[in-house]
Amino acid sequence: MIDWYFGAPRRALALICLACIAMLAFGMYLQHVVGLEPCPMCVVQRYALVLVAVFTGLGAASGGKALRVAGMLLALVAALGGAYTAASQSWLQWYPPEVVTCGRDIYGMIETFPLQRALPMIFRGAGDCSQVDWTFLGLSIANWSFIAFAGFSVLLLVLLLVLLFRRAAPRQALRTAF
């Protein structure tokens, strides 16, 4: 099983990309069907998931090793950023502050910036970042998000190391008989 996953980096990157797309779809389900509004930190985590999905998807689709390595590096940076944001939100949920602030409110952004720079409606955050609205097995969405981002980071790092330090398969020279 390990050889199947790490033996083919393109397949592994495609699986990570599909996992990110599934997580984004579940987030949209929670928002539009269940009725949970994402907070600003949740929005940042969505952006990180989109970036991980895009970079791993491009890495899986690329034919060259250099493009694959670049995609993995960019995906790793996005996954680490998502893990940091999820860990910060988990900390806020475990130790809520007395005064709730987790970013600029949407009305302050609209008053400060022109309307053309406002975020699209799908990524508009509202709500309290320290509030726990949904749990599964005793863990909040931020906790599960951290676990996923940490897992993606570890997988991408191992894949990157395997790809960089793996010996190239010997190519058989084409021999023509005349």
PDB file of all heavy atoms in Angstrom, residues 126-151:
ATOM      1  N   ALA A 126     -18.754  35.490   8.695  1.00  0.00           N
ATOM      2  CA  ALA A 126     -19.558  36.152   9.718  1.00  0.00           C
ATOM      3  C   ALA A 126     -19.547  35.252  10.936  1.00  0.00           C
ATOM      4  O   ALA A 126     -19.426  34.051  10.821  1.00  0.00           O
ATOM      5  CB  ALA A 126     -20.986  36.373   9.229  1.00  0.00           C
ATOM      6  N   GLY A 127     -19.646  35.834  12.068  1.00  0.00           N
ATOM      7  CA  GLY A 127     -19.730  35.008  13.257  1.00  0.00           C
ATOM      8  C   GLY A 127     -18.487  35.088  14.112  1.00  0.00           C
ATOM      9  O   GLY A 127     -17.510  35.761  13.803  1.00  0.00           O
ATOM     10  N   ASP A 128     -18.526  34.347  15.202  1.00  0.00           N
ATOM     11  CA  ASP A 128     -17.492  34.349  16.215  1.00  0.00           C
ATOM     12  C   ASP A 128     -16.558  33.169  15.992  1.00  0.00           C
ATOM     13  O   ASP A 128     -17.002  32.020  15.942  1.00  0.00           O
ATOM     14  CB  ASP A 128     -18.180  34.266  17.582  1.00  0.00           C
ATOM     15  CG  ASP A 128     -17.217  34.183  18.730  1.00  0.00           C
ATOM     16  OD1 ASP A 128     -16.014  34.425  18.523  1.00  0.00           O
ATOM     17  OD2 ASP A 128     -17.675  33.898  19.853  1.00  0.00           O
ATOM     18  N   CYS A 129     -15.266  33.429  15.894  1.00  0.00           N
ATOM     19  CA  CYS A 129     -14.285  32.368  15.648  1.00  0.00           C
ATOM     20  C   CYS A 129     -14.112  31.446  16.843  1.00  0.00           C
ATOM     21  O   CYS A 129     -13.644  30.325  16.704  1.00  0.00           O
ATOM     22  CB  CYS A 129     -12.932  32.965  15.273  1.00  0.00           C
ATOM     23  SG  CYS A 129     -12.939  33.806  13.686  1.00  0.00           S
ATOM     24  N   SER A 130     -14.485  31.893  18.029  1.00  0.00           N
ATOM     25  CA  SER A 130     -14.299  31.064  19.213  1.00  0.00           C
ATOM     26  C   SER A 130     -15.522  30.202  19.515  1.00  0.00           C
ATOM     27  O   SER A 130     -15.481  29.349  20.397  1.00  0.00           O
ATOM     28  CB  SER A 130     -13.968  31.933  20.427  1.00  0.00           C
ATOM     29  OG  SER A 130     -15.035  32.798  20.713  1.00  0.00           O
ATOM     30  N   GLN A 131     -16.585  30.386  18.770  1.00  0.00           N
ATOM     31  CA  GLN A 131     -17.806  29.624  18.998  1.00  0.00           C
ATOM     32  C   GLN A 131     -17.729  28.270  18.300  1.00  0.00           C
ATOM     33  O   GLN A 131     -17.300  28.169  17.157  1.00  0.00           O
ATOM     34  CB  GLN A 131     -19.008  30.408  18.473  1.00  0.00           C
ATOM     35  CG  GLN A 131     -20.338  29.754  18.717  1.00  0.00           C
ATOM     36  CD  GLN A 131     -21.474  30.617  18.208  1.00  0.00           C
ATOM     37  OE1 GLN A 131     -21.264  31.735  17.765  1.00  0.00           O
ATOM     38  NE2 GLN A 131     -22.675  30.085  18.259  1.00  0.00           N
ATOM     39  N   VAL A 132     -18.159  27.216  18.996  1.00  0.00           N
ATOM     40  CA  VAL A 132     -18.193  25.865  18.437  1.00  0.00           C
ATOM     41  C   VAL A 132     -19.636  25.561  18.064  1.00  0.00           C
ATOM     42  O   VAL A 132     -20.498  25.414  18.933  1.00  0.00           O
ATOM     43  CB  VAL A 132     -17.653  24.822  19.441  1.00  0.00           C
ATOM     44  CG1 VAL A 132     -17.760  23.425  18.863  1.00  0.00           C
ATOM     45  CG2 VAL A 132     -16.222  25.146  19.824  1.00  0.00           C
ATOM     46  N   ASP A 133     -19.915  25.475  16.756  1.00  0.00           N
ATOM     47  CA  ASP A 133     -21.272  25.233  16.277  1.00  0.00           C
ATOM     48  C   ASP A 133     -21.533  23.772  15.935  1.00  0.00           C
ATOM     49  O   ASP A 133     -22.684  23.346  15.890  1.00  0.00           O
ATOM     50  CB  ASP A 133     -21.546  26.073  15.018  1.00  0.00           C
ATOM     51  CG  ASP A 133     -21.565  27.555  15.318  1.00  0.00           C
ATOM     52  OD1 ASP A 133     -21.973  27.932  16.422  1.00  0.00           O
ATOM     53  OD2 ASP A 133     -21.167  28.334  14.434  1.00  0.00           O
ATOM     54  N   TRP A 134     -20.496  23.016  15.650  1.00  0.00           N
ATOM     55  CA  TRP A 134     -20.657  21.644  15.161  1.00  0.00           C
ATOM     56  C   TRP A 134     -19.500  20.810  15.679  1.00  0.00           C
ATOM     57  O   TRP A 134     -18.355  21.267  15.677  1.00  0.00           O
ATOM     58  CB  TRP A 134     -20.661  21.670  13.638  1.00  0.00           C
ATOM     59  CG  TRP A 134     -20.868  20.367  12.961  1.00  0.00           C
ATOM     60  CD1 TRP A 134     -22.061  19.807  12.619  1.00  0.00           C
ATOM     61  CD2 TRP A 134     -19.858  19.463  12.498  1.00  0.00           C
ATOM     62  NE1 TRP A 134     -21.852  18.617  11.988  1.00  0.00           N
ATOM     63  CE2 TRP A 134     -20.501  18.374  11.894  1.00  0.00           C
ATOM     64  CE3 TRP A 134     -18.474  19.469  12.545  1.00  0.00           C
ATOM     65  CZ2 TRP A 134     -19.817  17.307  11.343  1.00  0.00           C
ATOM     66  CZ3 TRP A 134     -17.781  18.402  11.999  1.00  0.00           C
ATOM     67  CH2 TRP A 134     -18.451  17.344  11.400  1.00  0.00           C
ATOM     68  N   THR A 135     -19.781  19.601  16.126  1.00  0.00           N
ATOM     69  CA  THR A 135     -18.717  18.699  16.566  1.00  0.00           C
ATOM     70  C   THR A 135     -18.975  17.303  16.013  1.00  0.00           C
ATOM     71  O   THR A 135     -20.120  16.925  15.730  1.00  0.00           O
ATOM     72  CB  THR A 135     -18.627  18.597  18.103  1.00  0.00           C
ATOM     73  OG1 THR A 135     -19.862  18.096  18.616  1.00  0.00           O
ATOM     74  CG2 THR A 135     -18.286  19.923  18.735  1.00  0.00           C
ATOM     75  N   PHE A 136     -17.906  16.555  15.873  1.00  0.00           N
ATOM     76  CA  PHE A 136     -17.965  15.150  15.491  1.00  0.00           C
ATOM     77  C   PHE A 136     -16.898  14.432  16.300  1.00  0.00           C
ATOM     78  O   PHE A 136     -15.730  14.821  16.264  1.00  0.00           O
ATOM     79  CB  PHE A 136     -17.725  14.980  13.982  1.00  0.00           C
ATOM     80  CG  PHE A 136     -17.761  13.551  13.525  1.00  0.00           C
ATOM     81  CD1 PHE A 136     -18.949  12.835  13.537  1.00  0.00           C
ATOM     82  CD2 PHE A 136     -16.613  12.929  13.094  1.00  0.00           C
ATOM     83  CE1 PHE A 136     -18.981  11.529  13.124  1.00  0.00           C
ATOM     84  CE2 PHE A 136     -16.635  11.614  12.671  1.00  0.00           C
ATOM     85  CZ  PHE A 136     -17.830  10.903  12.691  1.00  0.00           C
ATOM     86  N   LEU A 137     -17.295  13.427  17.038  1.00  0.00           N
ATOM     87  CA  LEU A 137     -16.403  12.692  17.937  1.00  0.00           C
ATOM     88  C   LEU A 137     -15.718  13.621  18.944  1.00  0.00           C
ATOM     89  O   LEU A 137     -14.559  13.430  19.303  1.00  0.00           O
ATOM     90  CB  LEU A 137     -15.355  11.909  17.156  1.00  0.00           C
ATOM     91  CG  LEU A 137     -15.881  10.811  16.230  1.00  0.00           C
ATOM     92  CD1 LEU A 137     -14.733  10.174  15.457  1.00  0.00           C
ATOM     93  CD2 LEU A 137     -16.652   9.767  17.004  1.00  0.00           C
ATOM     94  N   GLY A 138     -16.427  14.661  19.346  1.00  0.00           N
ATOM     95  CA  GLY A 138     -15.907  15.583  20.349  1.00  0.00           C
ATOM     96  C   GLY A 138     -14.953  16.634  19.818  1.00  0.00           C
ATOM     97  O   GLY A 138     -14.422  17.428  20.591  1.00  0.00           O
ATOM     98  N   LEU A 139     -14.731  16.667  18.518  1.00  0.00           N
ATOM     99  CA  LEU A 139     -13.821  17.651  17.917  1.00  0.00           C
ATOM    100  C   LEU A 139     -14.609  18.622  17.052  1.00  0.00           C
ATOM    101  O   LEU A 139     -15.535  18.227  16.337  1.00  0.00           O
ATOM    102  CB  LEU A 139     -12.751  16.957  17.073  1.00  0.00           C
ATOM    103  CG  LEU A 139     -11.815  16.012  17.820  1.00  0.00           C
ATOM    104  CD1 LEU A 139     -10.891  15.305  16.830  1.00  0.00           C
ATOM    105  CD2 LEU A 139     -10.991  16.768  18.846  1.00  0.00           C
ATOM    106  N   SER A 140     -14.206  19.887  17.100  1.00  0.00           N
ATOM    107  CA  SER A 140     -14.878  20.923  16.311  1.00  0.00           C
ATOM    108  C   SER A 140     -14.375  20.900  14.870  1.00  0.00           C
ATOM    109  O   SER A 140     -13.440  20.180  14.520  1.00  0.00           O
ATOM    110  CB  SER A 140     -14.622  22.298  16.933  1.00  0.00           C
ATOM    111  OG  SER A 140     -13.260  22.657  16.769  1.00  0.00           O
ATOM    112  N   ILE A 141     -14.991  21.727  14.051  1.00  0.00           N
ATOM    113  CA  ILE A 141     -14.563  21.839  12.651  1.00  0.00           C
ATOM    114  C   ILE A 141     -13.115  22.304  12.584  1.00  0.00           C
ATOM    115  O   ILE A 141     -12.329  21.799  11.774  1.00  0.00           O
ATOM    116  CB  ILE A 141     -15.484  22.810  11.880  1.00  0.00           C
ATOM    117  CG1 ILE A 141     -16.911  22.261  11.841  1.00  0.00           C
ATOM    118  CG2 ILE A 141     -14.965  23.047  10.475  1.00  0.00           C
ATOM    119  CD1 ILE A 141     -17.925  23.238  11.286  1.00  0.00           C
ATOM    120  N   ALA A 142     -12.737  23.242  13.426  1.00  0.00           N
ATOM    121  CA  ALA A 142     -11.354  23.741  13.432  1.00  0.00           C
ATOM    122  C   ALA A 142     -10.377  22.636  13.827  1.00  0.00           C
ATOM    123  O   ALA A 142      -9.281  22.538  13.263  1.00  0.00           O
ATOM    124  CB  ALA A 142     -11.218  24.925  14.379  1.00  0.00           C
ATOM    125  N   ASN A 143     -10.764  21.782  14.789  1.00  0.00           N
ATOM    126  CA  ASN A 143      -9.896  20.675  15.181  1.00  0.00           C
ATOM    127  C   ASN A 143      -9.710  19.689  14.033  1.00  0.00           C
ATOM    128  O   ASN A 143      -8.585  19.252  13.753  1.00  0.00           O
ATOM    129  CB  ASN A 143     -10.474  19.934  16.396  1.00  0.00           C
ATOM    130  CG  ASN A 143     -10.681  20.808  17.602  1.00  0.00           C
ATOM    131  OD1 ASN A 143     -11.657  20.633  18.316  1.00  0.00           O
ATOM    132  ND2 ASN A 143      -9.808  21.770  17.850  1.00  0.00           N
ATOM    133  N   TRP A 144     -10.803  19.336  13.367  1.00  0.00           N
ATOM    134  CA  TRP A 144     -10.718  18.425  12.222  1.00  0.00           C
ATOM    135  C   TRP A 144      -9.930  19.060  11.079  1.00  0.00           C
ATOM    136  O   TRP A 144      -9.168  18.374  10.383  1.00  0.00           O
ATOM    137  CB  TRP A 144     -12.111  18.009  11.751  1.00  0.00           C
ATOM    138  CG  TRP A 144     -12.752  17.010  12.647  1.00  0.00           C
ATOM    139  CD1 TRP A 144     -13.821  17.211  13.467  1.00  0.00           C
ATOM    140  CD2 TRP A 144     -12.355  15.652  12.834  1.00  0.00           C
ATOM    141  NE1 TRP A 144     -14.112  16.056  14.157  1.00  0.00           N
ATOM    142  CE2 TRP A 144     -13.225  15.081  13.780  1.00  0.00           C
ATOM    143  CE3 TRP A 144     -11.341  14.856  12.303  1.00  0.00           C
ATOM    144  CZ2 TRP A 144     -13.118  13.760  14.195  1.00  0.00           C
ATOM    145  CZ3 TRP A 144     -11.243  13.540  12.723  1.00  0.00           C
ATOM    146  CH2 TRP A 144     -12.114  13.006  13.651  1.00  0.00           C
ATOM    147  N   SER A 145     -10.111  20.339  10.897  1.00  0.00           N
ATOM    148  CA  SER A 145      -9.367  21.044   9.854  1.00  0.00           C
ATOM    149  C   SER A 145      -7.868  21.004  10.140  1.00  0.00           C
ATOM    150  O   SER A 145      -7.051  20.788   9.238  1.00  0.00           O
ATOM    151  CB  SER A 145      -9.870  22.488   9.762  1.00  0.00           C
ATOM    152  OG  SER A 145      -9.217  23.187   8.743  1.00  0.00           O
ATOM    153  N   PHE A 146      -7.496  21.197  11.412  1.00  0.00           N
ATOM    154  CA  PHE A 146      -6.084  21.116  11.769  1.00  0.00           C
ATOM    155  C   PHE A 146      -5.533  19.722  11.496  1.00  0.00           C
ATOM    156  O   PHE A 146      -4.432  19.578  10.962  1.00  0.00           O
ATOM    157  CB  PHE A 146      -5.869  21.484  13.241  1.00  0.00           C
ATOM    158  CG  PHE A 146      -4.446  21.271  13.681  1.00  0.00           C
ATOM    159  CD1 PHE A 146      -3.461  22.172  13.310  1.00  0.00           C
ATOM    160  CD2 PHE A 146      -4.092  20.154  14.419  1.00  0.00           C
ATOM    161  CE1 PHE A 146      -2.139  21.964  13.684  1.00  0.00           C
ATOM    162  CE2 PHE A 146      -2.781  19.942  14.790  1.00  0.00           C
ATOM    163  CZ  PHE A 146      -1.798  20.851  14.422  1.00  0.00           C
ATOM    164  N   ILE A 147      -6.283  18.700  11.862  1.00  0.00           N
ATOM    165  CA  ILE A 147      -5.832  17.323  11.615  1.00  0.00           C
ATOM    166  C   ILE A 147      -5.631  17.089  10.119  1.00  0.00           C
ATOM    167  O   ILE A 147      -4.630  16.506   9.692  1.00  0.00           O
ATOM    168  CB  ILE A 147      -6.837  16.315  12.216  1.00  0.00           C
ATOM    169  CG1 ILE A 147      -6.787  16.375  13.748  1.00  0.00           C
ATOM    170  CG2 ILE A 147      -6.568  14.895  11.716  1.00  0.00           C
ATOM    171  CD1 ILE A 147      -7.912  15.624  14.432  1.00  0.00           C
ATOM    172  N   ALA A 148      -6.572  17.567   9.306  1.00  0.00           N
ATOM    173  CA  ALA A 148      -6.455  17.390   7.849  1.00  0.00           C
ATOM    174  C   ALA A 148      -5.254  18.143   7.298  1.00  0.00           C
ATOM    175  O   ALA A 148      -4.467  17.591   6.513  1.00  0.00           O
ATOM    176  CB  ALA A 148      -7.741  17.861   7.171  1.00  0.00           C
ATOM    177  N   PHE A 149      -5.092  19.411   7.685  1.00  0.00           N
ATOM    178  CA  PHE A 149      -3.958  20.193   7.184  1.00  0.00           C
ATOM    179  C   PHE A 149      -2.626  19.618   7.651  1.00  0.00           C
ATOM    180  O   PHE A 149      -1.655  19.600   6.891  1.00  0.00           O
ATOM    181  CB  PHE A 149      -4.070  21.659   7.613  1.00  0.00           C
ATOM    182  CG  PHE A 149      -4.994  22.477   6.756  1.00  0.00           C
ATOM    183  CD1 PHE A 149      -6.091  23.114   7.312  1.00  0.00           C
ATOM    184  CD2 PHE A 149      -4.765  22.628   5.399  1.00  0.00           C
ATOM    185  CE1 PHE A 149      -6.936  23.878   6.538  1.00  0.00           C
ATOM    186  CE2 PHE A 149      -5.601  23.385   4.609  1.00  0.00           C
ATOM    187  CZ  PHE A 149      -6.693  24.008   5.180  1.00  0.00           C
ATOM    188  N   ALA A 150      -2.562  19.153   8.887  1.00  0.00           N
ATOM    189  CA  ALA A 150      -1.327  18.537   9.381  1.00  0.00           C
ATOM    190  C   ALA A 150      -1.036  17.259   8.590  1.00  0.00           C
ATOM    191  O   ALA A 150       0.117  17.002   8.215  1.00  0.00           O
ATOM    192  CB  ALA A 150      -1.444  18.239  10.872  1.00  0.00           C
ATOM    193  N   GLY A 151      -2.070  16.471   8.322  1.00  0.00           N
ATOM    194  CA  GLY A 151      -1.893  15.260   7.521  1.00  0.00           C
ATOM    195  C   GLY A 151      -1.429  15.579   6.107  1.00  0.00           C
ATOM    196  O   GLY A 151      -0.515  14.928   5.577  1.00  0.00           O
TER     197      GLY A 151
END
